[in-house]
Amino acid sequence: MGAIVALAYVFWRADEPVPRSRADLGAVAVAALLFVVANITFLAYGQQYTTGGIASIVYSLNPILTTFFTVWLLGEGSLDLRGYVGVLLGVVGVGLVAQPSPTDLAGDTTIGVALVFVAAVAVSFGSVATRWLEPDSEALPRTAWGMALGAVLLHGMSVAAGEPQPLPTALSPAVVFSLAFLGVFASAVGYAIYFGLLDLLGPFEINLVSYVVPVVATVAGAVVLSEPVTPLTVAGFVVVVVGFALVKREAIRRELREHPW
């Protein structure tokens, strides 16, 4: 649904609705395979094994992972000893959230954390890879076609896995509303904003929103779904944020100098 809405808008408004260059097609493939297929698949399955709060905290590793991939793939910046300590703290924070025990390494929470972590890696690497490709076209056409290709691939995987395909007549109003909201706002609008800001600000800055998501998700999960919030969950998130502060301490100092309170 989101892809249909996005493509309709692109053909209505964009001067060049179809990406043509090799870099543009590469960016479409990255959007489809990493942002849509890998991200949605691992995130959706991961959240079946853990709470929304824990999943969002693991997902908040995005800025740390993005910094690592930026150094490795784009050669921008570098990581010194304190930077690597920050990366390590990010991993430790996720470990605190997962709370794995030697006797239950294959427990639900551990599996959920591992799956969500793969989704975070896919998004982080995808945002840096898109910047590395230096596409020529505007963000919206690339986003729309990436969503369309990703939707086809996801549906094909669903059919191949034998998942039931409900008929439209069997869908309840709540399911239709959920699909419409996720398809239009969370996908079409959300991805368009994300890729537009990716071109404007770069992969690191836009992934900072990952630190807002855990707070909202944890509070909403506790209030609406009565999901538990343990002290280790909060401690893990704090450790992840400290790790991020070590990784990007120079950028933080620069921003504070330029924009003092």
Side-chain angles (χ1 to χ4, degrees):
M1 180 180 294
I4 294 175
V5 172
L7 283 174
Y9 183 81
V10 164
F11 277 100
W12 175 45
R13 299 288 296 181
D15 295 331
E16 297 183 6
V18 181
R20 302 183 185 277
S21 71
R22 181 177 298 180
D24 289 340
L25 296 178
V28 168
V30 167
L33 296 176
L34 295 181
F35 284 93
V36 178
V37 176
N39 178 38
I40 292 178
T41 299
F42 286 102
L43 187 59
Y45 278 104
Q47 289 185 94
Q48 295 182 22
Y49 293 94
T50 188
T51 66
I54 290 178
S56 63
I57 290 172
V58 177
Y59 209 69
S60 70
L61 277 175
N62 261 329
I64 296 177
L65 294 171
T66 299
T67 301
F68 175 79
F69 288 127
T70 299
V71 173
W72 173 61
L73 189 59
L74 300 182
E76 297 178 0
S78 62
L79 288 176
D80 56 12
L81 178 59
R82 282 179 289 183
Y84 283 109
V85 170
V87 174
L88 179 61
L89 283 177
V91 176
V92 171
V94 169
L96 290 174
V97 171
Q99 304 172 37
S101 65
T103 58
D104 192 26
L105 289 177
D108 284 353
T109 300
T110 305
I111 293 173
V113 166
L115 292 173
V116 175
F117 177 76
V118 174
V121 170
V123 171
S124 302
F125 181 76
S127 61
V128 177
T130 301
R131 190 68 174 266
W132 175 75
L133 288 167
E134 297 182 347
D136 304 310
S137 64
E138 296 179 350
L140 189 56
R142 302 194 317 264
T143 302
W145 287 103
M147 290 176 61
L149 176 59
V152 171
L153 293 174
L154 273 178
H155 187 69
M157 291 168 57
S158 176
V159 173
E163 294 182 345
Q165 308 297 314
L167 297 174
T169 55
L171 297 177
S172 66
V175 172
V176 172
F177 174 79
S178 299
L179 289 174
F181 179 83
L182 291 174
V184 176
F185 294 101
S187 296
V189 177
Y191 277 128
I193 294 173
Y194 183 92
F195 283 102
L197 291 176
L198 178 62
D199 287 349
L200 182 64
L201 300 176
F204 168 70
E205 282 77 5
I206 60 172
N207 280 325
L208 289 179
V209 72
S210 302
Y211 288 116
V212 180
V213 175
V215 178
V216 177
T218 301
V219 173
V223 173
V224 179
L225 302 176
S226 299
E227 294 179 342
V229 181
T230 67
L232 277 179
T233 299
V234 178
F237 176 65
V238 171
V239 172
V240 170
V241 173
V242 171
F244 158 76
L246 283 176
V247 170
K248 297 303 294 184
R249 63 190 182 281
E250 294 300 330
I252 294 173
R253 289 172 184 166
R254 185 169 57 252
E255 288 296 322
L256 289 176
R257 286 195 300 266
E258 295 177 357
H259 306 285
W261 296 100

